[in-house]
Amino acid sequence: MKHFSSISTLVVCLMSALALSFVAGCGDSSEEQMAELRVGFDDNFAPFVYKDQGTGEYTGFDIELAREVCHRNGWTLRPVPIKWDRKFDELEMSNVDCIWSCFSMTGRESRCCWTKPYFENCQKVVVKASSDIMGIDDLRDRILCVQLDTPILRGLRGELTGQRSLVALGKSIHQIVPGNSSEDVMEKLNNGSAEAVMVDEAFAMLRCNDAKSYRILPDRILPENCGIGFRLGAEEMRDKVQSTLLDMVKDGTAQRISEKFFGVPDKVIIR
């Protein structure tokens, strides 16, 4: 009986030890998850996100804002490049915690748990310098390239409410060619697949201002607010990131990051 009792005691002790080990392991895993922010983004979208040629590390306006948010919360920033037309899938499958990449809220208001808008954007038409296209009215019967899964493409196709002028413009254009990324859109302009392109204003300014081969039309098309999009139900994480961004505006850090990438301190609009 003593022998049986000893074995029983040993089994109970081993099971208790295993249970404690499992609980401890779960606690470590939870802490690791909470200590990391996985940010999904379009990985070739300067000045918001791009790879530094010297270091090979991701940098840009959005990445540096995210890096500072993580630093202040004791999190590790994990940049996750994604295919832009699969961003909602990546978010819903929990492959990323948020989408942070000049992410327009227009027409997507109910699909994410959004922060307050932190950046204001619009679309610009870019043409070759030699083009006879001088304004958006000249896009009639032309070939235009626009990035896939963007509000501007949906607007031109009549899929956004309250955008009659965009619908009319879309109908007047001979062909709308989709591009996989902003760089792909510009490449279609370069190789003659498109006569004009529509891209984000900041991208257009960075890519074209010093290039004599391009011309940016003066029209500001589809002004839109950009936010950081989290999975529905992730209010706690959203609120933490948002409050940290507000602190960064109050102490001037956000303005310094804006100055670094845009040359002006007032691009961060969250208040």
Side-chain angles (χ1 to χ4, degrees):
M1 290 292 292
K2 284 184 179 180
H3 180 64
F4 178 76
S5 177
S6 299
I7 292 174
S8 298
T9 302
L10 179 60
V11 169
V12 170
C13 289
L14 285 171
M15 290 180 68
S16 298
L18 285 169
L20 287 170
S21 174
F22 176 76
V23 172
C26 287
D28 291 344
S29 174
S30 177
E31 287 174 10
E32 286 173 6
Q33 288 175 2
M34 290 178 64
E36 182 177 74
L37 184 67
R38 299 167 302 162
V39 174
F41 57 87
D42 183 343
D43 69 342
N44 194 10
F45 190 36
F48 298 96
V49 186
Y50 60 95
K51 268 193 176 179
D52 183 286
Q53 295 301 311
T55 65
E57 299 292 325
Y58 285 110
T59 187
F61 175 66
D62 281 333
I63 283 290
E64 295 310 319
L65 286 175
R67 198 182 306 282
E68 181 63 19
V69 165
C70 287
H71 173 71
R72 294 188 181 205
N73 286 287
W75 302 333
T76 298
L77 172 64
R78 178 141 72 95
V80 183
I82 59 174
K83 289 185 177 179
W84 196 243
D85 60 343
R86 287 186 53 81
K87 53 189 170 293
F88 291 111
D89 295 332
E90 298 288 350
L91 198 59
E92 289 161 10
M93 291 189 296
S94 296
N95 293 333
V96 297
D97 297 310
C98 65
I99 305 295
W100 195 338
S101 187
C102 192
F103 190 14
S104 171
M105 303 165 76
T106 302
R108 300 163 170 158
E109 291 83 357
S110 63
R111 298 200 64 179
C112 291
C113 177
W114 291 100
T115 61
K116 291 179 179 179
Y118 74 99
F119 186 83
E120 188 178 53
N121 191 32
C122 73
Q123 298 295 301
K124 286 285 192 174
V125 176
V126 179
V127 297
K128 288 184 176 179
S130 58
S131 173
D132 61 351
I133 298 173
M134 299 297 171
I136 57 173
D137 290 341
D138 296 330
L139 293 176
R140 179 179 295 276
D141 297 326
R142 306 293 185 127
I143 299 174
L144 175 74
C145 185
V146 183
Q147 187 175 352
L148 279 167
D149 195 29
T150 53
I152 187 63
L153 181 57
R154 292 199 301 278
L156 290 167
R157 288 174 172 173
E159 298 168 5
L160 287 182
T161 58
Q163 297 292 336
R164 289 192 213 171
S165 60
L166 271 185
V167 175
L169 177 61
K171 287 180 178 178
S172 74
I173 293 168
H174 172 68
Q175 184 182 3
I176 298 175
V177 179
N180 293 320
S181 66
S182 296
E183 289 293 346
D184 183 42
V185 167
M186 291 301 297
E187 180 55 31
K188 284 179 169 54
L189 179 63
N190 289 331
N191 65 26
S193 300
E195 298 172 86
V197 300
M198 280 189 192
V199 292
D200 291 284
E201 181 181 38
F203 176 83
M205 300 294 284
L206 182 75
R207 190 78 159 70
C208 307
N209 268 2
D210 296 328
K212 295 181 180 179
S213 54
Y214 301 116
R215 184 159 40 81
I216 303 173
L217 303 191
D219 310 84
R220 295 184 86 250
I221 304 163
L222 193 62
E224 54 194 353
N225 286 324
C226 297
I228 305 160
F230 292 81
R231 277 185 302 283
L232 295 174
E235 285 84 1
E236 186 175 350
M237 187 181 295
R238 184 272 313 274
D239 290 347
K240 190 65 177 173
V241 169
Q242 182 171 276
S243 65
T244 307
L245 267 180
L246 287 166
D247 288 342
M248 288 163 56
V249 170
K250 289 174 185 175
D251 66 26
T253 303
Q255 289 86 335
R256 287 192 290 275
I257 293 172
S258 171
E259 184 92 44
K260 177 180 178 181
F261 291 100
F262 296 106
V264 292
D266 56 356
K267 285 295 185 179
V268 181
I269 64 171
I270 190 169
R271 296 291 185 272

